[in-house]
Amino acid sequence: MPLNAIELAKLFHDKNPGITQGHRMCPGCAAPNVVKFALMTAIAKGYEPVVGLATGCLEVSTTIYPYTAWNIPYIHNAFENVAATISGVETAFRAAKKRGEIPADKKLAFFAFAGDGGTYDIGLQSLSGAVERGHKFIYIVYDNEGYMNTGNQRSGSTPPGSDTTTAPVGKKLPGKAQLKKNIVEIMAAHENVYVATVALSEPMDFMKKIEKALEFDGPSFIAAHSACVRFWRVNDDKAVETSKLAVETLYWPLYEVERGVYRVTKKVTNPRPVADYIKSQGRFKPLLSRPDAQEVIDEIQEYVNRRYERLLALEEATKDKPIR
């Protein structure tokens, strides 16, 4: 049976889901809720979570020595190798089960969390290798579209026109010129993998995809829209609203790919203009003051429209045609 909000409220009304209050993430940061949605789902389905966490905002703010906000098995590793680390833990678990050192019916869920810097860029090789080897784990990127832990530098996830310290919006250039790297399609290109996008504004869709990932016989990759209130320049109560705008403007389409079969999980029939999303965030304010601002916005609008049309076409073309 799929989870529902009432069941989760009853289960977690008097306990935390593995990450506690009192951490030092910025007020309103989306990343802790991304973690909570994932861990709550796993625990509610009878799994004991094990977490690997790459260096980044979430790591440095939840494990400031000698304190930790985690009360489940947790491993911090380097920026670039969380996928390798969690795949090693998963392999050790299977070996221990085979030797009879762990009960055969014990259910563990192996999660790797990382930001976009540790996923799109620094950790891509490790991630691709772990997925290609077929380890059963769930890798979740909390995508805040920049190296926020070190002060808002450009990453492969940063969209055009966003003001960052290493690709600033100035007199010569309107910020980063390149489109955001499509990490979801890169991961979907691997064989025997479950891939999905999620947003905090759609919690039931989020949790259904975690359920699918838990049941999937192989690696899973989930990209979570994760507003950085500090460097996106939005109020600290706007992370969910920003996430909703991202979905409604097609900037962040919600879909899944299971062994090559595409499914758009939230159809947007009357999308809002992407300008609504851009104008809601201060990181685009320098862009909006430039004379060529509309050209950049039009480029993003054309891209998100074509991408969504392509997703719908892939949904139709791959229906009932899994790779294996």
Side-chain angles (χ1 to χ4, degrees):
M1 288 288 291
L3 295 174
N4 61 60
I6 294 175
E7 289 175 353
L8 286 173
K10 288 178 179 178
L11 184 58
F12 292 102
H13 80 281
D14 61 349
K15 65 179 180 180
N16 68 72
I19 183 171
T20 69
Q21 302 178 56
H23 54 71
R24 301 185 191 182
M25 297 294 283
C26 295
C29 175
N33 284 325
V34 169
V35 173
K36 287 177 182 178
F37 279 13
L39 298 186
M40 283 194 298
T41 304
I43 293 169
K45 299 301 290 185
Y47 291 84
E48 295 181 30
V50 176
V51 167
L53 181 57
T55 299
C57 290
L58 187 62
E59 176 268 322
V60 300
S61 299
T62 59
T63 55
I64 299 174
Y65 183 82
Y67 305 105
T68 178
W70 301 86
N71 63 356
I72 54 177
Y74 163 92
I75 305 170
H76 166 235
N77 48 262
F79 216 141
E80 71 276 5
N81 63 339
V82 67
T85 298
I86 205 68
S87 68
V89 176
E90 185 264 351
T91 301
F93 172 70
R94 286 189 288 107
K97 260 192 172 183
K98 188 175 181 180
R99 293 194 298 265
E101 297 170 0
I102 294 176
D105 60 349
K106 191 174 184 66
K107 293 169 62 177
L108 296 186
F110 299 95
F111 286 96
F113 293 100
D116 53 280
T119 303
Y120 285 69
D121 302 334
I122 300 173
L124 183 56
Q125 176 178 299
S126 171
L127 171 59
S128 179
V131 171
E132 184 273 331
R133 292 192 301 272
H135 297 278
K136 182 172 171 52
F137 66 94
I138 303 172
Y139 187 110
I140 300 178
V141 52
Y142 58 97
D143 192 350
N144 54 32
E145 301 189 325
Y147 289 84
M148 302 311 189
N149 175 47
T150 49
N152 187 32
Q153 291 85 26
R154 167 207 191 281
S155 82
S157 175
T158 304
S162 177
D163 190 45
T164 63
T165 57
T166 50
V169 176
K171 293 181 179 179
K172 296 288 186 181
L173 294 172
K176 181 185 170 187
Q178 298 81 13
L179 288 167
K180 179 184 173 89
K181 185 188 294 184
N182 198 331
I183 191 71
V184 179
E185 293 302 307
I186 292 171
M187 298 315 301
H190 292 69
E191 300 284 0
N192 194 40
V193 63
Y194 174 73
V195 175
T197 61
V198 297
L200 291 180
S201 59
E202 297 291 334
M204 301 317 295
D205 176 80
F206 192 146
M207 289 185 284
K208 283 178 184 177
K209 287 169 178 171
I210 296 294
E211 285 189 69
K212 271 198 169 184
L214 289 166
E215 295 165 4
F216 186 76
D217 185 22
S220 299
F221 176 85
I222 293 176
H225 185 273
S226 183
C228 172
V229 296
R230 172 70 177 87
F231 290 115
W232 288 20
R233 308 288 191 248
V234 297
N235 290 341
D236 59 16
D237 61 348
K238 295 296 184 183
V240 174
E241 185 176 312
T242 303
S243 177
K244 184 178 181 182
L245 259 178
V247 174
E248 291 176 344
T249 59
L250 305 182
Y251 181 84
W252 192 266
L254 294 178
Y255 69 106
E256 62 185 8
V257 189
E258 184 173 355
R259 294 190 175 95
V261 175
Y262 283 70
R263 190 168 76 89
V264 179
T265 58
K266 183 176 177 63
K267 301 290 198 302
V268 182
T269 53
N270 294 298
R272 296 173 62 172
V274 76
D276 289 356
Y277 178 74
I278 290 171
K279 292 175 181 178
S280 72
Q281 300 162 49
R283 61 176 171 157
F284 293 106
K285 189 175 180 180
L287 170 70
L288 297 175
S289 66
R290 287 178 56 93
D292 61 349
Q294 193 57 49
E295 295 175 23
V296 178
I297 293 172
D298 289 345
E299 177 190 11
I300 299 172
Q301 183 69 69
E302 182 181 20
Y303 172 70
V304 300
N305 288 346
R306 288 186 175 183
R307 180 181 58 185
Y308 190 66
E309 290 170 5
R310 180 177 179 274
L311 287 174
L312 293 175
L314 283 168
E315 180 181 51
E316 184 62 29
T318 62
K319 190 184 302 180
D320 303 320
K321 296 182 181 69
I323 290 172
R324 50 167 99 171

